[in-house]
Amino acid sequence: MSTRPVFDKARGEGRAALVGYLPAGFPDVPGGIDAIKVMVDSGCDVIEIGLPYTDPVMDGPTIQAAALQALDNGCRTADVLRTVEAVAATGTPTLVMTYWNPVEAYGVERFATDLAAAGGAGLITPDLTPDFAPEWIAAADAHDLDKVFLVAPSSTEDRVAMTTAACRGFVYATAVMGVTGARSTTSDLAGPLVARTKAAIEAQGTGLPVGVGLGVSTGDQAAEVGSYADGVIVGSAFVRALLDHPDDRAAGLRALGALVEELAEGVRRRA
Amino acid sequence: MTTHPEHTTSFDADARGWFGGPETGWGGRFMPEALIAALDELTVAWHEAMADPSFVEEFDTILREYGGLPSPLYYAERLSEKVGCRILLKREDLNHTGAHKIRNVLGQALLTKRMGKTRVIAETGAGQHGVASATAAAYFGLDCTVYMGAVDTRRQALNVARMHLLGAKVVPVEAGSATLKDAINEALRDWVSSVDHTAYLFGTAAGPHPFPSMVRDFTRGIGDEARAQCLERYGVLPDAIAACVGGGSNAIGLFAAFLDDPEVAIYGFEAAGDGVDTPRHAATLHSGARGVLHGARTFVLQDDDGQTIESHSISAGLDYPGVGPQHAHLSATGRATYLPVTDAEAMDALQLLSRTEGIIPAIESSHAIAGALRVAAELAEEKGPDATMLINLSGRGDKDMGTVVEWFGLGDPDEVTEDPAK
C-alpha cells in the first residue's frame, strides 16, 4: 500500500493531506496503538510511526522524551511492526519513520519483508539520503514500499532533483533548519523550498506530492502550510498533547483527538 | 596531508568517505539532508586548504609557535629496563593544553576562519577537546559553545572551569546517558540550526565524511614527527606503535604515518572498563557490531535492535560506544590490532609511569601504556633489547587527579608509598 493515492485524493478535494506522527511504544505499546487510532478517527490521512531510537539527532526535546519513555518501557523493533500492523488494519496508509541503524541491525531485507507483511506503506529516513541508500532502495522496490527521503532549505538544486527522483509516496520537506518541535510561527523557508521541490518534480513528470514537516501545531498554521503543500506533517504537537496528561490517559486522548480535528479542519480551509 | 601524494596511504577513504569501498565500506555519510550542504562545503574547503601552501604553512607555524610542537620523542629508560626493550614515548602531553587535541582544533579553527564562519561548537567527554576548542576559539576570536554530558561536567569540573575562563559557553547535556555520545547528538542538533555561521569542531576521527579523514589529517603530525624522530635517532622504524582508542583521533594521527610500513606492527588499545565479559566497558572493536552511529558506519556497542548501549570507562575520554570508521577498516583488514585494557590495568600503568619516569599520564594514555607494555614484553622476548615500542602519550594526567586520588585512596600525607624499584 502506497501513501500516494491518499495524497491524490486530497489533491482532488482541493486540500492538503494531514500526516500525523507518533512514536511507537508511547506511552506504552498498547497505549500507543490506542492513541494512533484516535488520530486516524479524528482526521489524519496518513500515519507516521516513529521507531524509538537512542540517538535521534533530528529530534527536539518533546519527541526525544516520548521516544525515551518508549525505550524505557521496553519497546522493541518488533513492537513497532506490531503497531504498524494494528494501524494499517484501519486502512490508513502507515509509514515508519526511523533512523537508519535499527534497520541495519534488524537486517534491511528482513525489515522490508516484515514491514510489507505488516501492511506498512514504507519508510521515512531522516538520517539516510538516497546517495547512501542503495540497499534500502533495492529492498523497498522489491517489496513495493514507499521511499520518503527529506529535502531541506539548505539542499542544492542538484540534491533536490536527486532526492525527488528517488522518492516514492511523497517528498518530505523539512521547513526549518532545526530539529523537530512545535513553533509559534511557520518558517518563511518552507514556501521557497516547496516551490523548488515542486519545480524539480515537474521536470521529472512524476507529480509526486510534497509534505511539509517540523513545527506545525495549530489549525491556522496547517491552513497556511496547506495552501502551498500537498501534505501537512505534524508530530511534536501530538506528542505534547499526550505528554501533558501523564497520569490521565483518557484526557490525553481527548486532547489529542481535539488537536487532530483542529488540524484536519485547517488543511480543509485556505489561509 | 590528503592532497599531497607523500601523505596518502593504501587505507585512505574514497571521495565519498568510504574506507574499503562502498560495498563493504566503513564510514560514509549517514546524516540529515539539512547538514549535507554544510558537509559538502566543509569537504571542499578542507581539500582546498590542504592544497594551499599558505594554509599549510600557517597551520605549521601556529602549531610550532603556539602549540609547542613538535612534541619530543622521549626514551623512557627506566621503563625500558623494566620491560626489556626500548620504550619510546611521543610526548603529546607536553603540547599546549596538555594533549594531542590542540593539533585538531587549531586545524579546524583555522579552517573555520578561512571559511568566514564566526562561531564554533564542540562536544567533549573528558573536557580535553572542549578546553582545546575553547582555547582555539579564544586564539582566533571565535564564539564558542561546548556540549558536555552532565555526568562528565561533574567528573571533569576543573575542565569546565577552564572552558569558562577561556570564554566558552558550556552546555550540560542531560539526555540519554549524559555522556559523550549524547553531547555529540546535542551538538549536531545545534549545528542543524546554526550551520550558516557555525562550524562544528568534531573532537575525534569519527562522524560523517569528511570528519574522520579531516581530523586524521590535522592530527597526523603525531605520526609524521614520531616517524622522523625515530629514524633520525635510531636509523630504523619502530617494531611496533601503540595508542589508546576511544573515537580514535590520537591513534589515527599516529598510525597514519606508518600504515604503509608493513614491518611496523600497529596496536590500538580500547577501554575494557570492568572487563569485556561484563556489561561495563567501552571496547567497541572487541565487542561491538557493524552499525551506524553519528553519521558513519563503524563498530558500535549496540543491542540486537540497533539501540546504542551505554559504554563505561574510568576515562571519560574513552567512554564512547562508537569508534572512528578508519579504525574499523584497519581492524577488519588486519592492518592494526585492537586489544582491550581494563580500568585496573590502565590505573596500574598510570602509577607505574608516574613512579618510573616522573610522568603522570592521562587515564586515556594509560590504557596505551598498559597495553603496549604487554605487547612490548613479548617483543623483548622475541627480538631482544633493541626492539622498539613507540607509544603515543596522548595527554597529561592533571585533569584526572580527582579520579586518581579516589582510585588509589591518595591524599594522606603520612601514607607510605611503595618503592617502585620493588
Side-chain angles (χ1 to χ4, degrees):
Chain A
M1 179 195 288
S2 171
T3 54
R4 179 68 185 270
V6 169
F7 281 96
D8 289 344
K9 180 169 174 284
R11 195 182 268 171
E13 294 169 1
R15 67 172 178 93
L18 179 62
V19 183
Y21 168 96
L22 213 62
F26 168 71
D28 51 36
V29 176
I33 292 171
D34 289 345
I36 298 170
K37 284 183 173 172
V38 165
M39 289 163 66
V40 169
D41 292 342
S42 304
C44 281
D45 300 294
V46 173
I47 293 293
E48 295 178 3
I49 293 175
L51 192 155
Y53 178 50
T54 42
D55 297 274
V57 295
M58 278 292 281
D59 290 342
T62 303
I63 289 179
Q64 274 188 69
L68 187 63
Q69 187 176 328
L71 288 171
D72 285 348
N73 285 343
C75 182
R76 309 285 308 252
T77 300
D79 297 313
V80 177
L81 292 167
R82 194 149 60 85
T83 303
V84 169
E85 190 166 22
V87 176
T90 65
T92 301
T94 305
L95 299 136
V96 171
M97 186 163 191
T98 179
Y99 292 90
W100 186 238
N101 196 51
V103 180
E104 281 209 355
Y106 195 88
V108 179
E109 172 61 25
R110 180 180 164 222
F111 193 96
T113 303
D114 290 357
L115 179 63
L123 283 190
I124 304 166
T125 50
D127 64 345
L128 184 74
T129 53
D131 40 343
F132 282 90
E135 196 179 359
W136 161 239
I137 289 171
D141 290 347
H143 292 276
D144 198 29
L145 293 166
D146 283 354
K147 301 157 288 182
V148 181
F149 295 108
L150 280 61
V151 291
S154 57
S155 300
T156 61
E157 301 307 325
D158 285 350
R159 288 196 63 83
V160 169
M162 181 270 291
T163 303
T164 51
C167 285
R168 197 193 89 162
F170 66 103
V171 181
Y172 194 127
T174 52
V176 292
M177 290 297 287
V179 296
T180 60
R183 290 170 170 81
S184 54
T185 56
T186 51
S187 165
D188 56 5
L189 299 173
L193 174 61
V194 171
R196 291 202 291 137
T197 306
K198 283 180 174 279
I201 290 167
E202 194 173 329
Q204 290 156 0
T206 58
L208 206 60
V210 180
V212 169
L214 297 179
V216 169
S217 61
T218 68
D220 290 344
Q221 289 174 336
E224 181 194 336
V225 173
S227 68
Y228 56 82
D230 304 302
V232 179
I233 304 167
V234 182
S236 297
F238 293 155
V239 172
R240 171 55 54 199
L242 297 179
L243 280 174
D244 284 347
H245 300 86
D247 302 319
D248 188 345
R249 264 188 206 189
L253 292 178
R254 281 196 301 276
L256 177 66
L259 183 58
V260 173
E261 284 172 10
E262 178 188 338
L263 291 160
E265 182 275 326
V267 298
R268 283 168 172 79
R269 69 179 144 95
R270 293 301 182 196
Chain B
M1 315 257 172
T2 308
T3 47
H4 292 201
E6 69 268 26
H7 285 127
T8 59
T9 78
S10 313
F11 297 90
D12 285 351
D14 67 16
R16 301 174 71 223
W18 290 119
F19 295 95
E23 295 306 318
T24 56
W26 305 96
R29 188 183 278 175
F30 296 85
M31 272 279 131
E33 171 66 20
L35 288 172
I36 300 298
L39 292 166
D40 280 342
E41 178 194 19
L42 181 64
T43 305
V44 170
W46 158 60
H47 278 301
E48 287 179 354
M50 290 308 197
D52 179 352
S54 70
F55 178 88
V56 174
E57 190 182 331
E58 189 178 359
F59 182 41
D60 286 347
T61 301
I62 295 169
L63 288 180
R64 195 173 56 248
E65 295 180 359
Y66 181 70
L69 296 161
S71 61
L73 187 66
Y74 168 71
Y75 170 49
E77 188 172 356
R78 295 227 300 145
L79 196 60
S80 298
E81 281 169 10
K82 280 185 93 72
V83 178
C85 73
R86 186 185 294 132
I87 303 294
L88 302 176
L89 302 179
K90 180 61 173 162
R91 295 292 306 276
E92 292 290 296
D93 60 316
L94 296 177
N95 299 353
H96 183 43
T97 72
H100 74 286
K101 298 278 187 189
I102 195 71
R103 298 176 185 265
N104 176 35
V105 293
L106 287 176
Q108 289 199 53
L110 183 63
L111 191 58
T112 300
K113 195 179 146 202
R114 181 184 169 101
M115 294 169 74
K117 300 201 175 192
T118 56
R119 177 176 179 255
V120 293
I121 54 172
E123 84 294 336
T124 194
Q128 275 179 318
H129 177 59
V131 169
S133 296
T135 300
Y139 178 85
F140 286 107
L142 299 164
D143 186 48
C144 179
T145 299
V146 179
Y147 291 92
M148 190 170 187
V151 168
D152 293 335
T153 60
R154 290 190 283 276
R155 59 182 169 180
Q156 299 290 341
L158 191 57
N159 272 339
V160 173
R162 285 193 180 105
M163 286 181 261
H164 282 144
L165 186 61
L166 290 159
K169 181 183 175 191
V170 181
V171 180
V173 177
E174 301 282 355
S177 54
T179 57
L180 179 58
K181 86 173 176 69
D182 307 290
I184 293 176
N185 291 336
E186 208 58 43
L188 285 167
R189 292 186 187 105
D190 179 318
W191 203 30
V192 174
S193 313
S194 63
V195 71
D196 55 331
H197 66 287
T198 298
Y200 183 1
L201 303 191
F202 211 80
T204 191
H209 178 64
F211 286 114
S213 299
M214 186 179 75
V215 171
R216 177 206 59 212
D217 279 2
F218 288 139
T219 55
R220 67 166 298 139
I222 302 167
D224 290 338
E225 290 168 15
R227 196 176 188 282
Q229 289 163 327
C230 191
L231 280 172
E232 186 187 358
R233 198 174 317 168
Y234 301 103
V236 291
L237 293 174
D239 295 284
I241 61 173
C244 64
V245 179
S249 64
N250 93 85
I252 209 67
L254 175 68
F255 297 175
F258 297 93
L259 290 174
D260 283 333
D261 297 316
E263 69 272 31
V264 179
I266 297 176
Y267 292 92
F269 294 99
E270 301 190 291
D274 293 349
V276 290
D277 51 349
T278 77
R280 282 168 52 82
H281 64 78
T284 311
L285 288 158
H286 183 277
S287 301
R290 188 176 187 267
V292 169
L293 181 65
H294 295 142
R297 183 179 290 126
T298 184
F299 280 94
V300 182
L301 294 180
Q302 57 184 315
D303 67 16
D304 292 344
D305 276 3
Q307 306 288 353
T308 310
I309 295 172
E310 290 179 17
S311 55
H312 163 78
S313 169
I314 192 169
S315 164
L318 300 181
D319 198 351
Y320 181 57
V323 65
Q326 190 165 11
H327 289 296
H329 179 49
L330 294 175
S331 177
T333 57
R335 177 62 190 99
T337 302
Y338 296 85
L339 300 168
V341 169
T342 63
D343 288 351
E345 290 171 317
M347 295 308 281
D348 285 349
L350 184 149
Q351 188 178 51
L352 177 67
L353 189 68
S354 300
R355 294 182 179 184
T356 55
E357 298 291 345
I359 298 170
I360 301 174
I363 300 177
E364 289 93 328
S365 316
S366 302
H367 285 74
I369 302 289
L373 293 183
R374 261 182 356 219
V375 174
E378 295 167 16
L379 204 61
E381 209 162 287
E382 188 188 329
K383 294 190 175 177
D386 284 338
T388 302
M389 166 63 81
L390 192 160
I391 308 168
N392 192 31
L393 194 62
S394 56
R396 69 177 182 228
D398 308 36
K399 69 180 174 62
D400 293 323
M401 285 313 294
T403 307
V404 170
V405 165
E406 194 177 332
W407 180 272
F408 290 112
L410 302 178
D412 179 350
D414 296 320
E415 186 178 355
V416 178
T417 53
E418 190 187 338
D419 181 349
K422 286 181 183 171

